[in-house]
Amino acid sequence: MQIKTLSATLAGLLLAAGSMAISAQTITIGQASVPSASGGSAAISVSFDDNGNANVGAYNTEFDYSTLTAPTNYLGGIPTSNSPLCVVTDATKTVSVSRFSATPGVGLPDETLCTITFAVNAGTPAAAYALAHDASPGTTAFFHTDGSDITGSGTVTDGAINVVNAGPPTITIDTTPLTLPTVTFGTTTSGNIAVTAVAGGGSNPADTASFSCTAPAGFTVAPLSGGPYDNGQVGTVPANLAVSCTTGAAVVNGTVACTATNTTPSSVNFDVPVTCPAGTMSAPVLTPTPANGSTVTLGNGAPGATTCTSISIAPSGGAGATPAEATCTGVGVTVTPSTLLSFPVGSAAQTVSVCGTLTDTANATLGTVTCTGTDGSAGGVVDWAFTVAAPAGVLAPANVPATSLWSKLALFGLFGALGMLVLGLRRSH
């Protein structure tokens, strides 16, 4: 063969320089896949890697493709080479590879030497058709740049043309029940359902698979569909379906229903139970005005009169349907209302009236008001106390003398005497 002749020639030219070991440089014959049903082109690359040894001056090998031609010819023509470094000889069903440095002392680079293209006929049986090198002495060899070691180490990695049964990807959706994380009432919680796709037996773009899903009431699912995907696109299948819901006062259950079509087998249903937990509820926080511990003072009035003041209770924040609650009672005073006050989330402030009886002296501690209950504060407990003070009662001013009956009669008499005097003076003149 011509490679064996080349090896003998190189050996004769380079042997005189001595002997030196050569590291495990590699020639790699590539692989390609072709669908059985439709056939197609298989491009096989041949490459060299010096594996760190920069002093490889020449190498050669030979591989055959007879498995594709015997006993039945599965090729649609003679394989073609894109480089003179790789020579196809159809008579022997071989490809000869040879390379040597054109500059003495300069090693060969890592490179792809050539690409051999095989036209595989439609209907070729599914199998791995080997492209194996000839390991005979001289047919596969590596040489140092100084020619010292024609038997130096080196390896050839064989290739293959893989004819595979065509088929769409297989899509699988995880059906493990999914319970979404618990969050605050009225907020969104999310989780994922895994979607995987495995390439089918072939690479025919016409073989595709898709999926579609339906979200149950109360849930959202994204995406609701995907595809069509061929075997070369399986990496674009989403890693998961994002499932979400808005939490309410009660648990909500449902089923995400998905179908993978034109897959293996042709149609598969996937039902995924999903649970939206009840939201975490919190009662509003209650704030009194005046503040807890303050003194409230009754209004003014006469001794013995009943006067009043008020305490306002305002809710803030909270989530869900749990209300805050408070009950206020009095000692020495009357509190209205003295029944339970309820404050749902978003409700308005409420007022309790505090009333007491005044005396003729001020009283700094006429009575007390206490309020107890539960709310959304850090401790969750309402425990307030107020002191009730009363001013001294004040009597209304007494009647002035000029407004008494005798004073009025005296004034009438005086006015009458003055009138008689004026009349007598007029007559004397």
Side-chain angles (χ1 to χ4, degrees):
M1 294 182 185
Q2 69 181 70
I3 284 210
K4 293 182 178 179
T5 302
L6 173 64
S7 300
T9 302
L10 287 171
L13 290 173
L14 301 175
L15 186 59
S19 177
M20 182 177 293
I22 299 178
S23 62
Q25 45 277 342
T26 303
I27 297 172
T28 299
I29 304 167
Q31 298 195 24
S33 294
V34 178
S36 174
S38 61
S41 295
I44 301 296
S45 63
V46 180
S47 59
F48 170 72
D49 186 347
D50 67 13
N51 288 314
N53 177 22
N55 297 311
V56 178
Y59 54 82
N60 57 259
T61 193
E62 178 182 278
F63 66 90
D64 75 76
Y65 54 91
S66 60
T67 54
L68 281 163
T69 59
T72 303
N73 184 12
Y74 296 126
L75 292 178
I78 299 173
T80 59
S81 171
N82 69 343
S83 170
L85 297 176
C86 302
V87 178
V88 176
T89 303
D90 192 53
T92 57
K93 311 304 179 190
T94 59
V95 178
S96 301
V97 178
S98 61
R99 182 83 158 104
F100 62 92
S101 175
T103 305
V106 176
L108 293 170
D110 295 345
E111 62 183 335
T112 298
L113 298 173
C114 60
T115 299
I116 310 299
T117 301
F118 297 82
V120 179
N121 289 329
T124 297
Y129 295 87
L131 303 175
H133 75 291
D134 184 347
S136 309
T139 302
T140 295
F142 296 84
F143 304 92
H144 196 278
T145 53
D146 65 6
S148 59
D149 191 356
I150 63 172
T151 60
S153 62
T155 59
V156 178
T157 301
D158 291 336
I161 294 176
N162 300 300
V163 179
V164 294
N165 290 316
T170 298
I171 296 176
T172 302
I173 298 175
D174 187 5
T175 57
T176 302
L178 174 66
T179 298
L180 302 181
T182 300
V183 296
T184 303
F185 175 92
T187 60
T188 298
T189 181
S190 302
N192 295 317
I193 298 173
V195 178
T196 57
V198 177
S203 58
N204 185 353
D207 294 317
T208 60
S210 304
F211 72 88
S212 61
C213 299
T214 301
F219 295 83
T220 59
V221 176
L224 283 172
S225 62
Y229 303 106
D230 62 39
N231 287 327
Q233 296 173 302
V234 294
T236 66
V237 175
N240 54 62
L241 303 178
V243 181
S244 61
C245 69
T246 299
T247 58
V251 173
V252 176
N253 294 305
T255 300
V256 176
C258 299
T259 300
T261 56
N262 195 25
T263 182
T264 306
S266 61
S267 179
V268 182
N269 295 325
F270 300 92
D271 292 334
V272 187
V274 290
T275 299
C276 184
T280 301
M281 300 188 188
S282 60
V285 175
L286 298 180
T287 303
T289 301
N292 177 31
S294 298
T295 296
V296 294
T297 303
L298 300 178
N300 295 316
T306 297
T307 61
C308 300
T309 187
S310 63
I311 298 172
S312 176
I313 303 174
S316 62
T322 301
E325 297 176 336
T327 301
C328 297
T329 58
V331 175
V333 291
T334 301
V335 175
T336 305
S338 60
T339 54
L340 179 70
L341 300 176
S342 180
F343 298 85
V345 173
S347 60
Q350 299 185 54
T351 299
V352 294
S353 178
V354 180
C355 300
T357 302
L358 302 183
T359 65
D360 55 2
T361 59
N363 191 339
T365 56
L366 178 64
T368 59
V369 174
T370 58
C371 298
T372 58
T374 58
D375 71 350
S377 60
V381 175
V382 173
D383 187 12
W384 307 329
F386 306 90
T387 299
V388 182
V394 178
L395 292 171
N399 292 332
V400 296
T403 60
S404 68
L405 176 60
W406 292 108
S407 298
K408 292 177 180 179
L409 292 175
L411 286 173
F412 293 155
L414 177 60
F415 291 149
L418 288 173
M420 295 296 292
L421 177 61
V422 171
L423 183 59
L425 290 173
R426 291 182 63 185
R427 286 179 176 174
S428 62
H429 287 79

